[in-house]
Amino acid sequence: MCQAERVDANDIAGDLTEVLFTPEQIHARVEEMAREIDRDYADRDVLLVGVLTGAVMVMADLSRALRIHCQMDWMAVSSYGSGTKSSGVVRFLKDLSVDIHDRHVLVVEDIIDTGLTLSWLLSNLASRGPASLEVAAMFRKPEAVRADFSCRYLGYDIPNEFVVGYGLDYDGRYRNYTGLGVLDPKIYR
Ligand code: IMP
């Protein structure tokens, strides 16, 4: 158990073993990522593709931190059931609403764990002929080094723990916790 620095409506300090990042730290890093994206896409129209549902928070904050114009679209895939380990099985739940042929696509992800989900998603998107295809992820776990793609914009590397908050859930809960914390294993064991 630990004391979460800022717990609001969702008082979850007792469910965490550690707070990895405060909301302030997350927002500071999002701002830095936005400046990199502003610079790299200064002369290109970028389409941000969010992966539901985990990426809603980073998409909302990152898009509003950008100074360049952007468009947004969403995909929904599912790789986790109610457990805490990647199943490796990706289910496609919702496709994009727009054609990405010749578009500059930046996929916005909450977390890369094994990278299986993104790897599958990127090859699917690449087959549609985008002008460019890059990844922005807020968090990345160590196993992701084995993934067959690179993450161009990264928030933070984190330890190999099951984390919640800032869009990340356990069994549908904790997404609206504004920091990022390690979920106490007593919750899922
Ligand atoms: P991957 O395919 O192993 O990279 O897992 C990707 C997806 O699993 C992420 O987009 C998250 O939705 C979910 N996920 C992975 N690690 C965590 C975690 O620590 N907490 C909550 N969800 C996670």
Side-chain angles (χ1 to χ4, degrees):
M1 289 232 297
C2 71
Q3 196 66 35
E5 185 166 313
R6 185 171 130 182
V7 182
D8 30 51
N10 42 337
D11 185 355
I12 65 161
D15 295 355
L16 305 177
T17 56
E18 193 184 346
V19 174
L20 292 178
F21 300 105
T22 63
E24 292 75 17
Q25 288 172 313
I26 293 172
H27 288 134
R29 187 70 192 112
V30 167
E31 283 291 333
E32 290 171 358
M33 292 164 75
R35 297 293 76 77
E36 287 178 57
I37 295 167
D38 279 343
R39 189 192 59 221
D40 294 351
Y41 289 87
D43 53 0
R44 292 182 287 169
D45 280 332
V46 65
L47 173 69
L48 304 179
V49 169
V51 186
L52 291 168
T53 302
V56 287
M57 305 304 177
V58 57
M59 180 68 130
D61 288 343
L62 186 64
S63 60
R64 287 178 297 173
L66 291 177
R67 293 179 186 145
I68 56 168
H69 284 287
C70 66
Q71 289 178 302
M72 279 181 239
D73 202 356
W74 297 92
M75 292 182 101
V77 297
S78 169
S79 64
Y80 272 42
S82 59
T84 60
K85 294 275 172 247
S86 184
S87 63
V89 178
V90 180
R91 276 197 303 146
F92 200 3
L93 305 175
K94 182 206 171 296
D95 200 354
L96 294 173
S97 313
V98 298
D99 182 4
I100 61 167
H101 183 73
D102 273 344
R103 302 290 310 270
H104 294 283
V105 175
L106 178 57
V107 177
V108 178
E109 254 289 31
D110 48 3
I111 191 166
I112 307 173
D113 181 356
T114 61
L116 288 170
T117 311
L118 253 189
S119 175
W120 179 88
L121 207 121
L122 289 172
S123 56
N124 181 297
L125 294 177
S127 71
R128 307 181 196 193
S132 67
L133 183 59
E134 301 288 354
V135 175
M138 194 61 222
F139 305 108
R140 181 172 68 183
K141 291 191 195 174
E143 227 186 293
V145 294
R146 280 190 258 148
D148 58 358
F149 58 85
S150 63
C151 175
R152 176 127 190 189
Y153 309 96
L154 176 68
Y156 292 109
D157 275 308
I158 63 166
N160 197 16
E161 307 270 12
F162 192 80
V163 293
V164 291
Y166 203 63
L168 290 161
D169 74 307
Y170 171 66
D171 211 8
R173 297 182 63 211
Y174 307 106
R175 289 194 200 278
N176 61 334
Y177 168 54
T178 49
L180 187 83
V182 176
L183 190 63
D184 192 326
K186 75 177 183 209
I187 303 291
Y188 53 83
R189 273 194 194 131

